[in-house]
Amino acid sequence: MNEQAIQKTKTGALHRMIRTDEFGVLIPLIGIVVVTTALRPAFLSVGNFSSMFTQLTFIALTALGASFPLMVGQVDISTGKVAGFAGIIMSSLVVDKGMGMGPAILIALLSCLLVGVLNGFLVVYMKIPDFVATMGTLYMVGGARYLFVKGYQFSLSTQEDCTLVEIFDGRYLGMPIYFWIMVIIFAVVFVIIKKTLWGRRLLAVGDNREVAILAGIHADRMRMEAYIISALLSAVAGLLLTLDVGVGLPETGDGWEFRAIAGCVVGGVSLAGGKGSPLGVLIGVTLVFVAENAIIFLGCPATMKVAVQGFLMAAAVLCDLYRQKRKIAA
């Protein structure tokens, strides 16, 4: 009898795992890897996957940030430009002003935090549509990057205080240090979203704001916090990339916002809010990257990558709409 109960428990756990959005994203991911490897065996090489995951790190952190507004039913399309803004502020303060690396990083993070506050204020309290408000911030921050640069490149490797740049040249278990930083951040956020009261309240606001307010949840504050976290995680991504390459470049972050949102939607974060998982975001971003990499390995034109992103995002949106209709029907 005990063995039967154990077997039923295992079977139930397996069924629950199969029904998760994360498992659904894994199927096409595995399919792309298998098909591309069959046609081009070098695709599965350690060097290729190491290179791919190295590039994925920064977009994944930006996508994790973008997932917070999505989970409360909003959108933030300024994340990529915020990432570049953080890198430029930090590198310009170190190179142009002679500031230490630590204070420069802190000022860059605080500056991006203010961008998040601005986004939240415009959307939550000024009632400006989220797409319009964050598009305005996108152009504002994107232009500010070039004002800081003034036509120069800020090379961190030429500075006396370049300890962090040297540290980021190291590897652990074959992967760069910043990859493991990304893993730690994702693990912490996963615990926060899945295991804490704050995480449950965040999803509750996205699921049904009116009901959440009646339950005593400060919905506007949660939405503000979502935008602030989005900006901060994007800033971390930009800072990590700048420390990795050792140069502050104004074009850092260009195009990240839409790849980040694509990764979120593909990973099961609902555009309507109330649904999302850091693990799903990571798998979704990985699927987008693997699909793009497969296009290159199969010898297709590089412009096909944009088409692949669009197809994956459209498919994910259709699946999300289907789930919403089923939820309403139930």
Side-chain angles (χ1 to χ4, degrees):
M1 188 67 180
N2 289 336
E3 291 182 1
Q4 289 180 350
I6 293 172
Q7 187 63 35
K8 285 183 178 179
T9 302
K10 290 181 178 178
T11 303
L14 180 61
H15 286 168
R16 286 194 298 272
M17 183 187 74
I18 292 173
R19 292 172 61 185
T20 60
D21 293 327
E22 291 87 348
F23 187 84
V25 180
L26 277 175
I27 295 174
L29 175 59
I30 295 170
I32 292 172
V33 172
V34 170
V35 171
T36 309
T37 303
L39 297 172
R40 295 286 188 273
F43 180 75
L44 203 58
S45 66
V46 175
N48 180 51
F49 267 72
S50 176
S51 173
M52 189 162 51
F53 276 101
T54 296
Q55 300 171 47
L56 176 146
T57 298
F58 313 111
I59 303 294
L61 282 172
T62 307
L64 183 62
S67 70
F68 278 85
L70 287 174
M71 283 189 281
V72 293
Q74 311 289 165
V75 68
D76 182 0
I77 62 169
S78 67
T79 51
K81 298 299 187 291
V82 171
F85 185 56
I88 285 296
I89 289 179
M90 184 267 288
S91 56
S92 65
L93 289 174
V94 171
V95 177
D96 200 27
K97 304 299 182 183
M99 187 177 290
M101 195 78 76
I105 289 174
L106 181 60
I107 291 174
L109 289 172
L110 289 174
S111 300
C112 293
L113 183 148
L114 291 176
V115 174
V117 171
L118 175 61
N119 278 334
F121 176 76
L122 293 174
V123 174
V124 177
Y125 296 106
M126 297 300 292
K127 308 300 181 185
I128 297 175
D130 47 12
F131 191 87
V132 175
T134 55
M135 180 180 287
T137 309
L138 178 149
Y139 284 114
M140 182 183 70
V141 173
R145 296 177 305 172
Y146 289 91
L147 291 177
F148 275 93
V149 170
K150 300 176 184 177
Y152 299 98
Q153 281 190 355
F154 299 118
S155 178
L156 297 173
S157 57
T158 61
Q159 304 302 301
E160 293 183 5
D161 183 16
C162 61
T163 307
L164 282 178
V165 177
E166 294 172 357
I167 290 173
F168 274 68
D169 284 336
R171 287 177 171 261
Y172 183 71
L173 297 178
M175 296 301 292
I177 299 298
Y178 50 80
F179 172 82
W180 298 111
I181 293 175
M182 182 268 289
V183 171
I184 292 171
I185 291 174
F186 264 85
V188 171
V189 173
F190 181 86
V191 172
I192 291 173
I193 296 296
K194 295 295 184 180
K195 303 296 183 182
T196 68
L197 179 60
W198 186 88
R200 291 193 290 272
R201 286 177 172 175
L202 185 81
L203 294 174
V205 170
D207 188 44
N208 193 315
R209 194 184 308 167
E210 288 74 18
V211 172
I213 293 172
L214 290 174
I217 298 173
H218 199 307
D220 287 347
R221 186 176 65 194
M222 299 297 292
R223 293 160 67 204
M224 278 287 296
E225 290 171 356
Y227 275 107
I228 291 171
I229 293 171
S230 176
L232 284 175
L233 286 174
S234 300
V236 170
L239 290 172
L240 289 178
L241 179 58
T242 303
L243 289 170
D244 174 46
V245 299
V247 180
L249 299 171
E251 59 267 25
T252 296
D254 285 352
W256 286 14
E257 48 276 331
F258 295 107
R259 296 173 81 185
I261 292 174
C264 287
V265 177
V266 171
V269 181
S270 176
L271 290 173
K275 192 175 182 62
S277 161
L279 179 59
V281 171
L282 183 58
I283 297 173
V285 174
T286 303
L287 174 58
V288 172
F289 258 81
V290 169
E292 292 175 359
N293 197 253
I295 289 293
I296 296 172
F297 258 80
L298 294 176
C300 299
T303 51
M304 282 291 292
K305 293 197 300 183
V306 179
V308 169
Q309 289 178 25
F311 172 78
L312 290 173
M313 192 165 181
V317 169
L318 288 174
C319 290
D320 184 40
L321 290 173
Y322 175 71
R323 285 194 296 264
Q324 290 180 44
K325 287 182 178 179
R326 288 191 61 184
K327 179 181 177 182
I328 293 171

